[in-house]
Amino acid sequence: MRAAVPAGGAGRGQRDPVLAAPGVLRYNRAARAPARMEPEATMHLLAPLAMAGALWTGGLAPPAPSDSLPVTRALPDTMARVATAPNWMVASAHPLASAAGAQILAAGGSAADAGVAIQAALAVVEPESSGPGGGCFILYHDAARDTIWAIDGREELPAWNRSDMLMENGRVVAEPWTGGAAVGVPGTVDAMSRLHALAGRLPLRQVLAPAVALADTGFPVSPDLAWASRDNAFRLRRYPASRALYLRADGSPLAEGDRVRNCDLADFFRHWADEPTGRFFYQGDLARAITATVGGDRFRKGRMMQADLGNYHAPLREPVTGSYRGRRIVAFPPPTSGGITLLEVLGILETRPAPPDPRGGDGALLAFLDGLARASRVAYADRDRYLGDPDWNPGVPMRDLLDPAFLAGRAQAAFDPAAPLDSLAEAGDLPAHTTHFCVVDAEGSVLSCTSTIETVFGSAMVLPGWGFVLNNELTDFNLVPAAGGDAPLPNDIQGGRRIRSTALDGRVPPGGKRPRSSMCPVIVYGADGRPELVLGSPGGSRIIGTVAETLLLLLDHDFTLAEALAFPRLHCRNRPLEIETWRWNRGALADSLRARGWPLAPLESWPLLQGDVQAVRILPDGRRRGAADPRHDGAPRGG
């Protein structure tokens, strides 16, 4: 983490009071034991998958931090996993998933084929974050047709659920995120099947083959999966199928390097290959297994019916589009709040001069953080008031949040020097644990997909006999219902089914309400109208801030991908500021921000909630450069 002192920064023998590196590196993995890869058990699987395992051992751990040098730039490129290739590139949260996508692209598959392969592989090797039991938002640029598709695979509320389903004696129940009552109707399988039908080139059986091999043969537990097992062991122990897969035989958590096999999940993928439409998931034996598991949960049963599954479809949505300093930015529309809120943040900042380069010293860093926080503060206020499932809020003009006149007014509110930063911002008046992966194929088609089962290990329920984790997405609704007589807010729980009037296609039957998300898959287009950058991140409602900051660093200040992905992060969700301070002097930074009027959340409270950005950039010479966030286990692969 050593870096040169910039012009105007601290000189020899001096310490930059805000930017000096602390004594503890939050994500320092140098001390952990190398993963036990057992290469002989993996090599016969798929050579690319075996080779990807080497990314967990040696060479990539960050160096020990220094207390003696100021740090005013992002970490060296070796801190982030970066790859450059002439034809195609993938980046995902796990090297084995990236290798699965790379194998499909090398075989002539499209970005859509690779995306399905990556999602399936992530269900095996990163089961705590996504899988068939969850949902996703897919943004796909088809180069041959010059078309952008936004496929909404968000989970749905079962029709018979009540607004107080997670309330007890006037309070939200303890541990609402565990058990059947939190499970929404999964959407990932229908969305991925639709993506493959629209733009896939290879047979689905071939696309799913890497995931089948990984599940059948087994894989070594990554650092992130070991952490998830340890942190959720008390939840996983409640369910025999979960305990059998993601705890050791004695009930203790998995450790890095342990081996996990999931033959039930391999069989699930074989079923899917036999029925590429994916509708087998929503009817028959599998649908009955899901409803029986949700409704029979002894901890907290849910009310999902087979009709809820049978009515589920992943509709096409109209993407939201904005601009930032000459570039077109395409993002996902509601029911995720991510796209509109991101574009509102950027639109507010574009009304002012570009924020200063945060590498320019104390004053520049603080101005950068303050500006991003102010724009985020008012954008989140609007998000909370106006955004939700558009089919349940037809009278809310959500896209008016991006109207230039509205943005100008919000910028004035955001940067009002008299604004009390220690209180919640008011919404403007309108004229209203997750994973991410990216693919760019040889033809220039681009996929940006954020996928989830909500919190780590979702509901903690593995579907017996099928091998995947069920989501707990219903906790993304406002759990406390509106007071008697008050109109429901856009993200309140409302039972029943409604026509998907905002879908772009006619194939979608009435469905249940979809909880508001913050997922934010993004594609950035250059002056020539072609995609030049694709990225996204997990992180709950912090996703928007992570993506916004990364875009500012890349577009305003020409950071490299490695620098931007390693840069410490700020989150302002219309509440006390959260600052990732593992590379800055905590005390001096906190004092400087408080002096500007900002209340701060505890600086130590969320080391694993700072996102896991995956990004691919298309360079001017046509090469593809991918990067994976250094905070976690991901890796890019190119060819």
Side-chain angles (χ1 to χ4, degrees):
M1 286 202 349
R2 299 175 184 271
V5 179
R12 184 187 299 265
Q14 296 177 307
R15 285 174 59 85
D16 202 330
V18 171
L19 300 173
V24 177
L25 177 62
R26 174 75 70 193
Y27 299 101
N28 184 3
R29 298 186 172 185
R32 76 185 188 204
R36 298 182 291 279
M37 285 304 300
E38 299 181 31
E40 68 281 3
T42 310
M43 286 302 292
H44 78 278
L45 174 65
L46 293 167
L49 298 178
M51 292 171 63
L55 293 172
W56 284 333
T57 61
L60 290 176
S66 166
D67 275 338
S68 60
L69 290 176
V71 178
T72 57
R73 52 163 299 189
L75 305 177
D77 283 1
T78 52
M79 294 300 299
R81 299 163 181 91
V82 178
T84 305
N87 298 311
W88 46 260
M89 181 64 62
V90 305
S92 84
H94 198 289
L96 295 178
S98 294
Q103 181 191 346
I104 296 304
L105 290 172
S110 66
D113 293 320
V116 176
I118 291 169
Q119 174 64 89
L122 286 170
V124 180
V125 299
E126 197 195 31
E128 73 275 18
S129 296
S130 71
C136 63
F137 294 113
I138 303 169
L139 204 57
Y140 192 84
H141 169 92
D142 187 283
R145 304 174 202 178
D146 194 23
T147 298
I148 304 171
W149 291 307
I151 305 175
D152 174 7
R154 184 62 161 166
E155 300 91 334
E156 277 184 1
L157 178 73
W160 291 99
N161 281 19
R162 303 186 309 268
S163 62
D164 61 351
M165 65 182 192
L166 291 171
M167 300 286 291
E168 195 171 84
N169 299 322
R171 294 176 172 268
V172 176
V173 297
E175 206 179 318
W177 47 84
T178 300
V183 179
V185 180
T188 293
V189 171
D190 196 58
M192 288 289 163
S193 296
R194 187 155 200 198
L195 172 66
H196 185 258
L198 284 169
R201 282 201 293 260
L202 302 180
L204 186 61
R205 187 174 305 279
Q206 183 177 354
V207 168
L208 295 175
V212 171
L214 280 170
D216 265 341
T217 306
F219 64 94
V221 170
S222 70
D224 280 353
L225 180 52
W227 166 81
S229 174
R230 182 172 64 252
D231 204 54
N232 291 271
F234 73 101
R235 303 172 65 223
L236 298 170
R237 291 189 188 107
R238 292 193 178 108
Y239 302 104
S242 305
R243 175 177 177 141
L245 275 173
Y246 302 122
L247 297 174
R248 289 176 165 178
D250 62 0
S252 62
L254 297 175
E256 184 181 349
D258 286 351
R259 197 162 197 87
V260 172
R261 294 180 64 201
N262 192 341
C263 296
D264 286 342
L265 187 55
D267 287 341
F268 165 80
F269 290 133
R270 294 185 181 102
H271 278 283
W272 192 4
D274 288 339
E275 300 186 47
T277 65
R279 294 312 300 171
F280 80 101
F281 188 97
Y282 300 92
Q283 57 197 16
D285 291 344
L286 183 46
R288 285 189 287 271
I290 292 173
T291 55
T293 300
V294 169
D297 179 23
R298 295 181 179 179
F299 179 73
R300 187 172 292 116
K301 67 180 180 180
R303 304 183 65 180
M304 190 181 296
M305 308 297 177
Q306 290 188 50
D308 295 312
L309 288 153
N311 276 280
Y312 186 90
H313 285 274
L316 294 178
R317 303 279 191 187
E318 182 183 352
V320 290
T321 301
S323 64
Y324 183 72
R325 307 197 193 278
R327 290 177 171 89
R328 184 166 68 110
I329 297 176
V330 177
F332 212 95
T336 181
S337 65
I340 286 180
T341 309
L342 169 72
L343 292 173
E344 184 178 354
V345 170
L346 296 178
I348 289 169
L349 291 173
E350 195 174 20
T351 66
R352 303 171 62 82
D357 189 327
R359 296 168 293 191
D362 288 9
L365 172 64
L366 289 169
F368 175 86
L369 296 176
D370 181 75
L372 176 57
R374 286 175 177 271
S376 299
R377 177 173 175 266
V378 298
Y380 268 90
D382 295 334
R383 165 193 182 270
D384 293 344
R385 178 175 175 181
Y386 295 118
L387 298 183
D389 186 331
D391 293 311
W392 292 73
N393 301 279
V396 179
M398 301 179 188
R399 291 172 190 257
D400 286 354
L401 290 166
L402 304 180
D403 180 84
F406 180 79
L407 290 173
R410 298 309 277 148
Q412 185 175 2
F415 290 93
D416 180 355
L421 301 180
D422 57 352
S423 62
L424 295 182
E426 296 291 333
D429 291 323
L430 284 173
H433 200 68
T434 301
T435 194
H436 185 86
F437 50 94
C438 307
V439 183
V440 177
D441 67 19
E443 287 73 35
S445 292
V446 172
L447 177 138
S448 184
C449 177
T450 311
S451 183
T452 187
I453 52 174
E454 179 54 358
T455 60
V456 176
F457 276 120
S459 65
M461 305 171 72
V462 169
L463 188 65
W466 296 92
F468 57 81
V469 181
L470 293 171
N471 70 83
N472 59 356
E473 210 68 56
L474 300 187
T475 59
D476 259 1
F477 282 114
N478 301 332
L479 298 186
V480 179
D486 289 349
L489 293 172
N491 196 44
D492 282 354
I493 296 171
Q494 295 171 270
R497 298 191 183 98
R498 292 191 183 178
I499 296 292
R500 292 262 167 236
S501 58
T502 60
L504 296 183
D505 47 1
R507 71 188 282 270
V508 183
K513 189 172 184 179
R514 301 188 176 195
R516 180 176 62 209
S517 170
S518 297
M519 294 189 285
C520 194
V522 169
I523 301 173
V524 178
Y525 291 77
D528 62 358
R530 298 179 181 178
E532 71 171 30
L533 176 66
V534 53
L535 60 83
S537 175
S541 60
R542 296 175 179 88
I543 290 173
I544 300 164
T546 296
V547 173
E549 181 186 286
T550 304
L551 285 174
L552 293 177
L553 296 173
L554 291 169
L555 302 183
D556 280 338
H557 302 301
D558 295 324
F559 273 51
T560 67
L561 281 179
E563 288 175 328
L565 270 57
F567 199 78
R569 292 183 177 133
L570 169 142
H571 303 286
C572 183
R573 299 177 292 155
N574 200 20
R575 59 189 73 174
L577 279 188
E578 300 168 329
I579 308 289
E580 186 183 32
T581 57
W582 52 275
R583 289 178 49 252
W584 294 326
N585 182 294
R586 293 176 177 83
L589 179 60
D591 289 345
S592 298
L593 288 166
R594 289 192 185 100
R596 290 174 174 247
W598 286 108
L600 299 183
L603 298 180
E604 312 294 336
S605 59
W606 14 258
L608 293 169
L609 299 178
Q610 300 301 333
D612 186 13
V613 176
Q614 309 297 322
V616 177
R617 200 171 211 169
I618 302 173
L619 303 178
D621 62 6
R623 291 179 301 155
R624 284 71 160 122
R625 177 164 295 157
D629 201 303
R631 294 161 182 78
H632 295 276
D633 299 322
R637 289 292 300 270

